[in-house]
Amino acid sequence: MRKLSILAILLAATAFLAGARLPPHGPLPQPRPDTGAATSPTPLPDKTEPPASADVPAPQPKPDVKEPSAPQTEHGKSEPAKPEQAKPERAEPMQGPPLPPGGLKSPQTPAEENKPPAEQTLEEQHLTIEPESDSEHAECTAALRALGAVFKDTPRIDDGNGCGIDKPIIVSEALPGIALKPEATIRCPAALALARWLKESVIPAASAALPEQGRLTTVNQATSYMCRLRNGAETGKISEHARGNAIDIASFHFEKGEDVAVRARREDPTLTGAFQRTVSAAGCIYFTTVLDPESDAAHETHFHLDVMDRKGGYRYCH
């Protein structure tokens, strides 16, 4: 009997559930407490549209800046305002010395100072005469007298543009009985190097190679002091002749025979060729520069000998 009652209750519940219907719409989500009344969601179309311009908050102008009115077109419609570009601030002129009257150029380094040395004239180089120590000059002249050279002091030479000799001497005999023709105006260190070269190298070489020529009596020089640039060029470095440091030897005269002229003798197979090559090579012991006829066309008729002071005792001999 109890089982029949339970069965009847289950049948009745089944019939009730079968007749029940679901609501046409499910429960809607409740709005958040701070959003106000809920609105029904609007279905979006197939393609998403960009939000209306009214939904996008427009930027507000700064509180104290007035917006310029939009320009009108010829149809009375307003054109969209174009953003203004920031104008660069005007640079203040640089301060400096005032310009010279009547000129637009500011004071600058002279144009010649911007040229490389090889392109500068003697005037553009603004050179000065090198001073000589009194004690060193006295020591040099004492050594020159001890060798028997004949010379005399002469006043300071200043030809401008760095040409000149602080303590020049005029040499008439390089050694006793050996004339220097014409007499040479030169600095004492160059005269002393010349005397030592003649005594220790030229005379012994001539005695060995040219004994039939007899004694050396004259040394013919082509140039001693002369105000000019190297090789007589219009631009470039100053010549050592312009400082009294150089002498050019053109030939040697002996008691007998012809003069021995300085010329290209590298391939000369005679004793005269051997003599010249010997004295040219020996010159580098006494002078810091020796240029012979094999050096270049400018020296094809003489030896250039100078006592230019170089860093580290460097010597140039050719």
Side-chain angles (χ1 to χ4, degrees), residues 43-282:
L44 294 174
D46 293 339
K47 294 182 179 180
T48 304
E49 295 289 341
S53 59
D55 296 336
V56 180
Q60 298 298 321
K62 296 182 180 180
D64 56 349
V65 177
K66 294 182 179 180
E67 289 289 334
S69 58
Q72 299 292 321
T73 66
E74 62 182 37
H75 300 291
K77 296 181 180 180
S78 297
E79 292 182 349
K82 297 180 180 180
E84 291 187 2
Q85 297 182 350
K87 295 182 180 180
E89 295 183 1
R90 187 174 180 179
E92 293 294 330
M94 294 181 65
Q95 299 297 321
L99 296 177
L104 297 178
K105 296 181 180 180
S106 58
Q108 295 178 350
T109 302
E112 62 267 17
E113 293 186 7
N114 295 327
K115 294 180 182 179
E119 297 179 7
Q120 292 182 357
T121 65
L122 185 59
E123 292 76 10
E124 291 172 341
Q125 296 183 44
H126 307 293
L127 302 173
T128 58
I129 298 173
E130 297 179 359
E132 297 186 60
S133 164
D134 291 339
S135 60
E136 291 179 359
H137 180 71
E139 181 180 351
C140 178
T141 54
L144 194 58
R145 287 191 183 93
L147 289 172
V150 179
F151 63 94
K152 61 182 178 181
D153 292 323
T154 190
R156 184 177 189 270
I157 300 172
D158 186 352
D159 290 331
N161 301 313
C163 290
I165 307 174
D166 189 28
K167 292 178 171 55
I169 61 173
I170 299 176
V171 181
S172 55
E173 288 190 15
L175 288 173
I178 301 178
L180 189 59
K181 292 187 178 180
E183 59 184 16
T185 301
I186 201 169
R187 285 184 64 233
C188 182
L192 184 59
L194 176 65
R196 287 173 173 169
W197 173 61
L198 291 172
K199 179 179 181 179
E200 298 171 10
S201 296
V202 176
I203 292 175
S207 299
L210 308 170
E212 70 283 359
Q213 294 277 60
R215 185 177 64 86
L216 176 66
T217 60
T218 306
V219 174
N220 298 303
Q221 61 97 4
T223 311
S224 54
Y225 170 77
M226 179 180 287
C227 181
R228 63 174 173 82
L229 296 178
R230 292 181 182 179
N231 299 331
E234 294 183 359
T235 59
K237 293 184 178 180
I238 191 170
S239 170
E240 291 305 303
H241 286 285
R243 298 184 181 278
N245 287 329
I247 189 167
D248 293 342
I249 305 300
S251 65
F252 302 93
H253 179 74
F254 297 87
E255 288 179 317
K256 305 173 186 178
E258 297 181 354
D259 289 358
V260 176
V262 176
R263 58 184 177 85
R265 295 183 186 274
R266 180 167 293 176
E267 306 300 328
D268 186 346
T270 68
L271 286 172
T272 301
F275 164 75
Q276 180 176 301
R277 292 192 297 271
T278 300
V279 298
S280 176

